[in-house]
Amino acid sequence: MLNFLTSGLLALIGLALAGGGVWLIAVGGSWYYALAGLAFLVAAFLSFKRKPALLPFYGLFLVASLIWAVWEIGFDWWQLGPRGGITVLIGLWLITPMFRKTLTSGKPVPDVKPARSFLLEGSVVLAVVVAVYSMLNNPHEIAGRLPSEPVTSSPAYGGTVPDGDWHQYGRTPFGQRYSPLDQVNADNVASLEQAWVYQTGDVKRVDDVPETTYQVTPLKVGETLYLCTPHSWAIAIDAKTGQEKWKYDPGIPQNPDRQHQTCRGVTYYKDPAVTENGPCTARVFLPTSDARLIALDAGTGEVCPSFGDEGTVHLEENMPYNPEGYYYSTSPPVAAAGKIIIGGAVNDNYSTKSQSGVIRAYDINTGELIWNWDSGNPEQTEPIPDDQTYTANSPNSWSVSSADEALGMIYVPLGNKVPDQLGMNRDENVETYSSSIVALSLETGQVQWVRQTVHHDLWDMDVPAQPALIDITQDGQTVPALVGPTKQGDIYVLDRRTGEPIIPVNEVPAPGGAIPEDFTAPTQPVSDLTFMPDPLTEKDMWGMTLFDQMACRIAFHQLKYEGRYTPPSLQGTLVYPGNFGTFNWGSVAVDPERQVMFGMPTYLAFTSKLIPRAEVPPRGTEKASEMGINRNEGADYAVSMGPFLSPLGVPCQAPPWGYVAGADLRTGEIAYMHKNGTVEDMTPLPLPFKLGVPGIGGPIMTKGGVAFLGAAVDNYFRAYDVSTGDQLWETRLPAGGQSTPMTYETDDGTQYVLIVAGGHGSIGTTPGDYVIAYKLAE
């Protein structure tokens, strides 16, 4: 019976590998899988015939497979495992005395001396030795060290924020995500413990859209924390105890057409000219997911009626189209130069009749519109008349901007025109401003400079991150700089006065081959400081087993792929880096003293396939999502897209998928890259294997030499040594930590580190409503 079952198993494996292997050869892939299938079929025959020759034959096959695997990918355990797992397990079974006794027939089993093969036994031992060596090897690491000495003793943080506070999304208008606090440092961070937990009460609802996420970074002003929730509640909390002070619910209606249900933060403002405290002398500005900007009294949470229309600015005003749920602000506005400046998000790839991407500056006290900059009509920045509309479907800014009041500029990250994957009918303004960083005058809204990061963007490569402003020392001179991370993995380090590169940017040839109605740019910009991944090849395809790895190899060859910027296609295109980007809205943290950066590059391939309009299925009851079919109503093609996954639902590309990394901003050198995160929350079994997992969220850094980061798809919050990238501390979170943390100090001199844990609908982390603060153990 054992022999029959073993023979049947070997035959099934052989048939599957042979059939899939022939398919793989037909699409131009490796011959190994077909040959391995043939070897398993021969082994099945020898087993069924009870031939002892099975053992040395399988030993030779195992050695050949091991040589092939090491030749393809070296001593990388996570790539060797799928290649060798099944073959080694079968080998282990074949050398057991229980099975070997079945290979000699004609005698009672107790009298049979089991067949022996030192070749098979030796091959299994060799495979185990290679596996152990590979587990100790780490071929993907860059191990180095950032300079630890400060470059300047008087860094520019931006604004006048007290050291213990966190007044804007990135702490100051410079967006550095850096705190000058050092009570918590690399020597004692391991003793951090939970100080308090607050739950907002805003939990994910059954009728919410898939992209319902907690991405908020709270602000800290005085002794109060201010934050918002996915359904646009504003909340004030005592910074020392976590006790709620007030809560404001604007009553956002549910809408299945809203693509994102999130709020990344609120904006605080206190008029410096007003010395007394009174109603609305200090304000919290709340952006909502139904396209409102509401001014609240920072002390009470009451609406400030002197702002706008009884406390509200209606962002749908002067829009050319206004279907509910298609336009809103997911990010906090910028308070600078007496203005509150806000952009907005549009639903990606819903319709060509999309709202404008206009940036508007309102008087921060009255809500009166001061200027508007519309990339579709960039010269007319004075407020448009009531009977005029902004340009439909102009590139928008859904992320966070930064400001330098001394230079009089706001730095805006821009996205693309809908549809993202179709470049037909784009005018000169779209081709100029799409997927770029634009500097606007704080006074007038006029363009000061523009730096495009993708030409003729066909891949949804919006500039997703708030630019970080930092002064960099080069050749003894201080240069006001801007650090702009991109989805493609490039880090643009620019002179923020002019937009000219400090670290060189080069134009490199890009793939062609767009659909006949479209075209591609012949070259694309690449910064010398880049986390751009190497192009994928067939050997980079992964899987839990030989079978889904083989399926991924077949799929890889069926997709159009010529490296980064391969254009969308009817056959399906591999997009790498994918839509999540190497960097996303979480940006990077920069240290203005050491002039270094810390970030979380992520690598996850996506696919996109154009669907002719006649073949687009009717709309059903599906909720808004950027995954699956994006309908592009009004365009000639819809697009189907999503992560490049195996039949078992794991990424088709081999890990690592996520790192922590540090780079010197003066030289452009990457000092280290370390795998970050485990698969503990990605698999049915809680296995804490450190593969390096994807993440979405952002880091912060402190003067204490520590970086803090949640973000990964496992539910952990971690601290790292900024100099080396080594992990120093971690704690388990009750929900996904897909937000950017912050740190602050209370009036008793205690430093707290805080993160919001509520999960992210698109990546499937645990939902929740937690605000958690940590401090050093007493």
Side-chain angles (χ1 to χ4, degrees), residues 386-403:
D386 293 340
D387 60 351
Q388 185 177 334
T389 60
Y390 299 114
T391 307
N393 202 6
S394 53
N396 65 304
S397 181
W398 54 266
S399 190
V400 188
S401 298
S402 301

Side-chain angles (χ1 to χ4, degrees), residues 413-482:
L414 280 183
N416 202 356
K417 174 182 177 177
V418 176
D420 289 306
Q421 285 77 21
L422 299 174
M424 302 87 81
N425 304 316
R426 293 181 182 173
D427 63 21
E428 182 181 352
N429 288 327
V430 175
E431 298 290 10
T432 299
Y433 295 109
S434 173
S435 305
S436 65
I437 301 169
V438 178
L440 303 177
S441 165
L442 280 170
E443 183 65 26
T444 66
Q446 287 288 328
V447 174
Q448 306 301 291
W449 55 259
V450 56
R451 171 62 57 174
Q452 191 167 62
T453 66
V454 188
H455 306 320
H456 195 65
D457 183 2
L458 302 175
W459 306 272
D460 189 22
M461 291 300 169
D462 305 341
V463 179
Q466 179 184 26
L469 310 184
I470 180 175
D471 291 351
I472 290 179
T473 304
Q474 285 196 330
D475 301 323
Q477 301 294 316
T478 299
V479 181
L482 175 149

